[in-house]
Amino acid sequence: MTLSAAQSTRLTNAGLFSPFPVELQTVVFCHLTSFQDVFSFASTCHQLQDVWLQGVTTIYRHVSKVTITCEPYARILLADQGGPAPKAAIRSASNAYQMIRSQSMVYKAITQFESDIVSKVRTGGLRAEEYYEPAIDGHPPYLTPTERRRFIRSYYQLWGLLELDNLQQRQSRLHSVSLKQLLFLCEMSWLPNGMRPGEDVDSESGAAIYQQRVQARQALSKWILEHTESMYRRIHGQDMPLIWVIAMHEGYGDFLVMWDHWQNSLKEVVCGRRTREPPYKMEMHWELWEDSPNEDG
């Protein structure tokens, strides 16, 4: 059974929760369907505010399962921002609030991305009906569920890299990422202004700090692309194909590899290796795809 914030508030106003033990009140929190409901419910009275603050670990664990997409990656970002280790429990309300603020920024970026980019995506010669709803001609004007997960996961990863000041930590993080995911990260680092992580500079910080962040993002974007090309050469012994030029008619702008209709082509890029001697052909090493994490789940 799940409760909405409105239902919970009516029960609170009726005084029905007062006689209940804290454990039962915590169970009610755990059955709410969003953190906005959790915050609204906790704000109805001092008693429930105390229940939330004391039971944040349990409440967060239950509600986050159904509300925070790609939560493990969001937890890595939280750790990069000075929060608890990714596997540690969330023990403070401030950490929970930070998780929700980060999620809100990702969702804001998605809304802008769908308006400015997704609505203009082309599928080229690929049969769109094999990947999207038959009634839609081409790519839908919104991210599909799998595309949305790719975007959110890659956004958190890029944001985390921006938070790392230590060069060795950044290098270690990038070396742990698969070739497939590096290609997603390349595109995420090319997001237009207004969608990029870390752009929330307040007026007191001023233009100087904002400019520093812009320069940091540009340097990171260049580094990610160079690392991706280097990994490709190390794996395949040849230069990476210019996929964003060759297949530019199958996406929009700098965005290609994240679309559902391009996943088979992406698999060929990650796993394909052109022979050095005639007759030239593509050798496919499918284990390079299978060995990468199930990043769409």
Side-chain angles (χ1 to χ4, degrees):
M1 174 184 176
T2 58
L3 294 173
S4 68
Q7 290 172 319
S8 303
T9 301
R10 285 197 295 270
L11 292 173
T12 303
N13 292 339
L16 296 181
F17 281 119
S18 299
F20 294 159
V22 170
E23 292 79 9
L24 186 55
Q25 295 178 44
T26 301
V27 169
V28 174
F29 269 103
C30 292
H31 281 78
L32 295 174
T33 56
S34 75
F35 277 103
Q36 186 57 51
D37 286 349
V38 169
F39 302 151
S40 297
F41 188 37
S43 68
T44 56
C45 68
H46 291 299
Q47 178 184 357
L48 290 176
Q49 180 72 12
D50 289 340
V51 172
W52 157 238
L53 293 176
Q54 294 170 15
V56 61
T57 299
T58 300
I59 297 167
Y60 174 85
R61 186 173 66 250
H62 281 80
V63 180
S64 65
K65 290 179 181 179
V66 295
T67 60
I68 301 184
T69 305
C70 302
E71 196 265 358
Y73 294 91
R75 286 298 312 273
I76 294 173
L77 171 62
L78 181 65
D80 294 335
Q81 294 170 327
K87 298 291 186 180
I90 294 289
R91 299 191 181 279
S92 72
S94 62
N95 289 150
Y97 292 140
Q98 180 62 37
M99 289 286 289
I100 304 311
R101 281 194 295 269
S102 296
Q103 183 188 56
S104 297
M105 287 194 63
V106 177
Y107 286 176
K108 180 181 177 182
I110 286 176
T111 299
Q112 193 66 39
F113 187 73
E114 289 181 329
S115 174
D116 295 356
I117 304 296
V118 181
S119 59
K120 302 171 184 175
V121 170
R122 298 159 296 185
T123 57
L126 301 175
R127 295 175 59 85
E129 64 271 17
E130 294 182 6
Y131 306 94
Y132 310 114
E133 298 176 28
I136 298 176
D137 183 18
H139 192 286
Y142 50 82
L143 293 173
T144 67
T146 47
E147 292 169 347
R148 190 178 179 90
R149 286 194 292 273
R150 289 181 201 119
F151 186 102
I152 293 172
R153 180 191 59 249
S154 301
Y155 198 96
Y156 280 134
Q157 287 181 304
L158 179 67
W159 194 349
L161 286 167
L162 285 167
E163 293 287 338
L164 296 177
D165 294 326
N166 185 288
L167 180 61
Q168 189 172 6
Q169 287 181 311
R170 280 189 176 184
Q171 288 176 330
S172 177
R173 181 75 59 84
L174 275 182
H175 282 296
S176 69
V177 177
S178 69
L179 178 58
K180 175 172 68 172
Q181 183 56 32
L182 280 171
L183 290 165
F184 293 141
L185 270 177
C186 283
E187 292 194 347
M188 198 56 49
S189 73
W190 299 331
L191 285 173
N193 289 335
M195 305 181 203
R196 300 165 181 165
E199 287 190 332
D200 56 330
V201 179
D202 57 50
S203 57
E204 295 182 0
S205 300
I209 291 181
Y210 179 80
Q211 188 60 32
Q212 288 176 1
R213 293 189 180 183
V214 170
Q215 292 173 352
R217 281 194 298 270
Q218 291 173 342
L220 179 60
S221 177
K222 182 174 181 289
W223 193 22
I224 291 172
L225 179 58
E226 290 175 348
H227 181 74
T228 303
E229 292 173 336
S230 175
M231 176 180 281
Y232 187 95
R233 284 192 296 270
R234 188 167 65 251
I235 291 174
H236 293 296
Q238 53 195 240
D239 289 341
M240 189 174 76
L242 302 174
I243 56 174
W244 290 282
V245 176
I246 297 170
M248 59 187 302
H249 61 288
E250 295 175 357
Y252 180 76
D254 293 326
F255 302 97
L256 175 69
V257 301
M258 70 169 61
W259 313 123
D260 283 350
H261 66 264
W262 220 76
Q263 293 313 290
N264 286 334
S265 299
L266 177 60
K267 186 177 292 187
E268 293 179 0
V269 171
V270 171
C271 304
R273 183 181 305 160
R274 186 174 298 278
T275 58
R276 295 179 179 273
E277 303 293 336
Y280 299 109
K281 61 180 181 178
M282 290 295 291
E283 294 178 346
M284 304 308 297
H285 299 265
W286 301 116
E287 71 278 2
L288 294 172
W289 187 269
E290 299 301 331
D291 288 345
S292 59
N294 181 15
E295 292 156 337
D296 294 335

